[in-house]
Amino acid sequence: MVKLTGLKKIKTAVFISGTGSNLKNLIKFSKIKKSPISIDLIFSNTAKAKGLRFSNQFNIKKYVSSFNNPKIAEAKILNLLSKENIKFICLAGFMKILSKNFIKKFNGKIVNIHPSLLPKYKGLNTHIKAMQNKDEEAGCTVHFVEAKLDSGKIILQKKVKILSKDTPISLAKKVLRQEHKLYPLAIKKIFN
Ligand code: GRF
């Protein structure tokens, strides 16, 4: 894994597709002295992603490219990442699947946050699945990204209780609050 050298923070890109609450949280974390990363680029596969507004708000470069042709999109992104000297990637609600080739190029330097206690409930609708299965707990996972979806080595997990009054929406909110705590902790764990 990349280690912190001296006082320089590791240049990081965050990939999003939507709201970007994890992005905002990572940006705030990156600004504290003890953070090993700085956020230098926001990438989205859609111009509609609400999280892109944090580019202006925090003065961070943004780049949008649709994944209609994933090969071309990835080639463009790789170019940009190299130009910007980006060494680490955080996926935060990024809804596209990166190719084996892309992941190989950033081997061990891409992490993702997933709203379930992996290996349970890979893919979408995790909270609905947990409730349908009458699970007593749900949660979130930060893991390294490998070619197989939601399958890389787990860095950290956080559990929450599912209460009888919970709905998939209330559960999602509860898990998201924990995601905001977990992602910075996982990044600290990687680099310390
Ligand atoms: C989060 O629940 C994350 O775990 C999942 O997508 C959601 C993104 O939320 N991969 P936000 O865009 O960070 O608010």
Side-chain angles (χ1 to χ4, degrees):
M1 207 41 248
V2 223
K3 284 277 166 196
L4 258 188
T5 47
L7 292 171
K8 270 214 167 149
K9 293 189 178 185
I10 294 154
K11 287 189 151 225
T12 299
V14 182
F15 286 20
I16 61 165
S17 301
T19 319
S21 71
N22 276 290
L23 163 66
K24 185 182 181 194
N25 185 62
L26 285 177
I27 295 172
K28 290 198 163 162
F29 165 66
S30 74
K31 293 188 182 298
I32 66 170
K33 208 174 161 200
K34 278 193 175 161
S35 163
I37 60 164
S38 61
I39 309 289
D40 298 281
L41 185 71
I42 299 166
F43 170 70
S44 172
N45 62 295
T46 164
K48 288 185 183 147
K50 283 195 186 148
L52 283 170
R53 72 183 191 276
F54 299 121
S55 156
N56 282 344
Q57 192 176 328
F58 293 98
N59 198 19
I60 297 170
K61 273 191 191 157
K62 70 175 173 207
Y63 179 63
V64 180
S65 172
S66 91
F67 259 58
N68 292 343
N69 185 328
K71 252 193 172 172
I72 294 180
E74 286 189 349
K76 283 188 196 161
I77 301 162
L78 281 170
N79 233 326
L80 185 62
L81 294 174
S82 147
K83 212 175 98 196
E84 298 293 331
N85 209 15
I86 300 288
K87 301 290 184 210
F88 189 64
I89 299 173
C90 296
L91 308 184
F94 184 61
M95 300 304 282
K96 295 289 171 185
I97 295 176
L98 296 166
S99 72
K100 261 188 199 158
N101 175 53
F102 187 100
I103 293 167
K104 215 165 133 193
K105 294 229 161 86
F106 263 80
N107 197 11
K109 293 169 195 160
I110 311 178
V111 293
N112 179 42
I113 188 149
H114 183 75
S116 80
L117 296 170
L118 288 172
K120 266 191 163 179
Y121 314 133
K122 297 172 182 177
L124 299 174
N125 302 319
T126 54
H127 306 302
I128 294 173
K129 288 175 192 164
M131 294 197 71
Q132 277 172 349
N133 277 346
K134 306 209 181 310
D135 289 355
E136 286 178 0
E137 47 192 24
C140 47
T141 305
V142 179
H143 64 95
F144 287 105
V145 171
E146 280 177 11
K148 225 171 148 205
L149 185 69
D150 299 328
S151 295
K153 190 173 168 238
I154 291 171
I155 302 156
L156 276 183
Q157 285 187 315
K158 176 75 187 174
K159 289 179 182 169
V160 304
K161 286 231 171 315
I162 303 180
L163 307 174
S164 52
K165 62 174 186 191
D166 271 323
T167 63
I169 291 174
S170 71
L171 181 59
K173 279 189 189 158
K174 208 153 65 172
V175 171
L176 192 62
R177 276 198 296 275
Q178 294 308 318
E179 290 184 35
H180 296 162
K181 292 185 186 158
L182 194 70
Y183 220 160
L185 286 178
I187 290 170
K188 276 195 196 160
K189 187 176 171 195
I190 294 170
F191 293 109
N192 289 333

